[in-house]
């Protein structure tokens, strides 16, 4: 639940339900813009076997702009993928981008995935960063979007270049830049 408060921490209005999980959501991430807020979090699937990545936008006043949506849905998030560490950032056009760690349980291969979520909650295809060579360490990725739309994603772990651990960075440049 979310609760708006004033400068003295006194409640303003009633509590707002942010997720649909009823106690099965973990690892929230938050981004802010002049138009509102965006949340990303991990939510236990109904079968209790894995976590899916979810997203929801809120207006400046805190009211939800759409139901929570699954962003890891078409991103190889089947029963053999373990998702963790969601993070979110706003794009200059008002869309958001969500990044998370995805590990294949069978092969132990990890990638950092990211997906753009449009203002109206429309989903773009997901993108894998470092596919086949990244081993993400425990923790979450960090994401930032520049004013020109460039997306920077950082994570810790083995990048597959002979290093055992370190901070890794991928910079995605829009095709028009």
């Amino acid at each position: 639940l979310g609760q708006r408060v004033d400068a003295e921490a006194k409640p303003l209005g009633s509590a707002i339900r942010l997720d649909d999980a009823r106690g099965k959501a973990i690892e929230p991430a938050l981004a802010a813009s002049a138009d509102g807020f965006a949340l990303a979090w991990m939510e236990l699937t109904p079968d209790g076997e894995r976590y899916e990545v979810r997203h929801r936008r809120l207006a400046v006043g805190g009211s939800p702009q759409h139901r929570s949506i699954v962003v890891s849905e078409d991103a190889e998030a089947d029963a053999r993928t373990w998702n963790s560490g969601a993070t979110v950032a706003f794009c200059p056009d008002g869309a958001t981008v969500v990044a998370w760690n995805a590990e294949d349980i069978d092969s132990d291969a990890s990638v950092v995935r990211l997906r753009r979520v449009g203002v109206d909650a429309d989903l773009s295809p997901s993108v894998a960063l470092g596919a086949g060579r990244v081993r993400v360490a425990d923790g979450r990725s960090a994401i930032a979007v520049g004013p020109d739309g460039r997306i920077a994603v950082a994570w810790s772990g083995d990048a597959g270049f002979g290093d055992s651990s370190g901070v890794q960075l991928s910079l995605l440049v829009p095709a028009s830049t």
Side-chain angles (χ1 to χ4, degrees):
L1 293 175
Q3 177 68 59
R4 294 185 323 140
V5 296
D6 66 16
E8 297 174 356
K10 294 180 182 170
L12 298 172
S14 58
I16 302 166
R17 175 150 299 280
L18 301 175
D19 64 56
D20 305 318
R22 310 266 183 220
K24 297 181 180 171
I26 61 171
E27 300 180 6
L30 176 68
S33 78
D35 298 320
F37 304 94
L39 290 167
W41 66 92
M42 308 306 301
E43 187 171 304
L44 197 60
T45 56
D47 62 11
E49 294 293 320
R50 64 184 175 85
Y51 284 92
E52 59 193 9
V53 182
R54 297 191 74 89
H55 174 277
R56 188 170 211 175
R57 290 181 69 123
L58 306 170
V60 173
S63 61
Q65 294 182 316
H66 58 75
R67 291 187 53 81
S68 68
I69 57 173
V70 178
V71 296
S72 57
E73 194 166 64
D74 78 337
E76 301 173 24
D78 59 23
R80 305 309 311 158
T81 302
W82 184 258
N83 297 312
S84 64
T87 187
V88 62
F90 274 94
C91 299
D93 64 359
T96 55
V97 64
V98 179
W100 67 96
N101 307 327
E103 180 179 346
D104 183 286
I105 296 169
D106 293 326
S107 69
D108 202 29
S110 301
V111 295
V112 175
R113 298 199 75 86
L114 78 107
R115 192 165 198 190
R116 182 181 162 91
V117 182
V119 174
D120 296 323
D122 51 313
L123 297 170
S124 68
S126 67
V127 175
L129 305 179
R133 64 177 173 82
V134 174
R135 184 164 321 281
V136 178
D138 290 336
R140 70 175 55 174
S141 308
I143 190 166
V145 181
D148 64 352
R150 292 174 194 239
I151 300 170
V153 182
W155 67 93
S156 62
D158 177 1
F161 300 116
D163 53 347
S164 60
S165 185
V167 175
Q168 315 303 327
L169 176 73
S170 286
L171 181 63
L172 287 84
V173 179
S176 62
T177 302

